[in-house]
Amino acid sequence: MRTTHLEPTRLPDHLRDTQRLLFLAKHALWTGGLHPEDGNHALYHRETREILEALGIPLLVADNYAALFDRPEADFVFPLLNRGGFYNSEMLLPLLCNRHGLPYVGASPIVRGLSDDKHLTKLEAAARGVPTAPWTLFRRGAPVDVSRCPPALRWVIKPNNSSASWGIRDAHDRVELAQAVAEIHALDHDALVEPFIEGSDVEVPVITLGGEPAMLPMMIFEQADPSHLRTYQEKRDLVDRSAKYSLKLFDDAAMNERLIGYTQQMAEIFRPFDYGRFEFRVDFATGEIRLLEVNLNCNLWSEKVFGRAAISAGFSQADLIETIVSESMIRQLVGAVRRDAA
């Protein structure tokens, strides 16, 4: 996997001149600042739309699933409406695209589902020797016996399918643990339980360059307190978190090689996926590294992991978005036209 000498991929003129792109995101039409519930996610969608508008390709913009109920006047789709407010919504847009035979940025529906289901992702990791915390899954409607959970002084309980720590909880005894699982089920989600691991999250952003996975510089959410549990409100900038953790470049020679190796193993499971973020919890006191989850079609905002890592690699935010769209289009649309001719 390439980690250095990364160069943006430009949209070939023959694709710019012949393709119509549909950008579909919850806040694709947003023109304001922070959203009262989704916070900076609205800024991210607005920023991406403005970059696509400047790309020079005919652009359609929509903010709801209905845009794909009938075949749109588009040739290619950039789907960012990942969390639709219902269970397993992660897969709906690529499924609707498949129904119309429309190519799109990102992995296929079944692969999106595989990465979105944290339990299945952890099974893939365990099968390949990639370390991950022990866990227990409680599907909605199945019996709940918290004695099955691995022993711990503190547990983390979260929806098995979620993003940005939405719905996350912790518990310090099995009574609290059972209550937390019930609360997750009441949100219409399966519940994943694992021991809380002190440390900080190292984020490994992966894009596609020349048709192959390439790694942008690693980032770390460095925590002032390794025992702090990061929340949805913090991640969406709905509350001040400046004293709790900060996003920085990660360059630890003792750990980088292992992280690259683990990421390579996990990336092969999901190819082709165009872009994704591989998340690890690092305990600097013990030197342990554990995979947390894999987020395909993840947040690309300039102020988050991908945008900051792209700048460190010499990409502008516009370079990053153009590269992701271009590589996906080339992969799916060039056909008989060779990549080197593109």
Side-chain angles (χ1 to χ4, degrees):
M1 184 181 292
R2 291 172 59 186
T3 60
T4 59
H5 306 295
L6 309 179
E7 297 290 339
T9 300
R10 300 305 177 193
L11 185 64
D13 288 340
H14 71 274
L15 295 181
R16 193 191 315 271
D17 296 340
T18 60
Q19 301 298 306
R20 298 163 297 176
L21 178 64
L22 169 62
F23 175 56
L24 209 163
K26 182 178 180 181
H27 302 293
L29 301 174
W30 187 256
T31 58
L34 288 175
H35 187 274
E37 294 179 358
D38 296 331
N40 54 42
H41 221 53
L43 301 181
Y44 156 45
H45 289 168
R46 173 182 176 176
E47 175 185 79
T48 304
R49 183 197 73 229
E50 292 172 348
I51 290 172
L52 294 174
E53 288 171 341
L55 198 54
I57 189 171
L59 183 68
L60 292 79
V61 180
D63 61 2
N64 61 80
Y65 293 102
L68 280 172
F69 289 172
D70 297 316
R71 185 181 176 92
E73 296 295 319
D75 306 293
F76 201 90
V77 181
F78 192 168
L80 288 189
L81 184 46
N82 300 341
R83 299 296 172 189
F86 58 92
Y87 187 62
N88 284 344
S89 61
E90 190 82 4
M91 295 184 285
L92 182 55
L93 281 184
L95 282 168
L96 290 171
C97 288
N98 283 352
R99 178 170 175 262
H100 297 304
L102 281 171
Y104 49 89
V105 175
S108 67
I110 196 70
V111 173
R112 289 283 297 275
L114 174 62
S115 69
D116 191 43
D117 189 303
K118 296 176 177 64
H119 166 68
L120 297 180
T121 297
K122 286 163 77 71
L123 284 176
E124 292 282 4
R128 288 159 177 78
V130 175
T132 184
W135 76 98
T136 303
L137 177 69
F138 296 104
R139 299 283 189 192
R140 290 176 304 150
V144 175
D145 178 4
V146 295
S147 68
R148 294 170 43 212
C149 296
L153 296 177
R154 179 187 182 191
W155 294 271
V156 173
I157 310 93
K158 52 192 173 185
N160 188 47
N161 309 73
S162 72
S163 62
S165 293
W166 178 83
I168 197 167
R169 291 154 167 75
D170 65 351
H172 296 82
D173 60 46
R174 293 189 187 266
V175 174
E176 291 181 358
L177 182 53
Q179 178 61 33
V181 170
E183 290 171 354
I184 298 294
H185 285 176
L187 295 172
D188 292 329
H189 278 263
D190 300 333
L192 186 81
V193 178
E194 55 190 3
F196 179 84
I197 305 169
E198 292 200 354
S200 294
D201 293 350
V202 172
E203 313 282 339
V204 187
V206 177
I207 59 174
T208 303
L209 290 176
E212 300 289 333
M215 189 183 299
L216 296 176
M218 299 179 197
M219 306 292 293
I220 181 171
F221 284 105
E222 189 172 77
Q223 298 199 172
D225 177 2
S227 68
H228 174 64
L229 182 64
R230 294 166 60 214
T231 67
Y232 175 85
Q233 288 74 21
E234 291 169 351
K235 292 184 178 183
R236 290 287 186 254
D237 290 330
L238 294 170
V239 297
D240 179 32
R241 44 82 174 170
S242 57
K244 297 177 180 178
Y245 62 87
S246 57
L247 182 61
K248 301 178 179 179
L249 278 172
F250 180 76
D251 187 15
D252 186 313
M255 293 186 176
N256 278 8
E257 186 175 346
R258 281 189 289 161
L259 285 164
I260 291 171
Y262 295 152
T263 301
Q264 286 177 319
Q265 290 185 70
M266 296 304 297
E268 287 300 315
I269 298 166
F270 303 101
R271 290 181 63 184
F273 57 87
D274 292 328
Y275 69 99
R277 190 178 69 242
F278 297 76
E279 301 186 8
F280 300 87
R281 173 58 63 99
V282 173
D283 185 340
F284 292 98
T286 64
E288 290 182 296
I289 299 172
R290 297 179 182 89
L291 176 78
L292 289 177
E293 58 188 71
V294 175
N295 286 292
L296 305 184
N297 280 61
C298 57
N299 195 321
L300 296 170
W301 189 36
S302 58
E303 298 302 317
K304 292 291 187 180
V305 169
F306 253 91
R308 297 274 291 276
I311 291 295
S312 297
F315 287 50
S316 67
Q317 185 67 13
D319 290 337
L320 173 65
I321 300 301
E322 181 176 3
T323 294
I324 289 170
V325 172
S326 300
E327 287 283 344
S328 188
M329 280 190 162
I330 291 169
R331 170 171 64 85
Q332 300 177 74
L333 298 179
V334 168
V337 179
R338 297 178 60 85
R339 170 175 287 275
D340 55 7

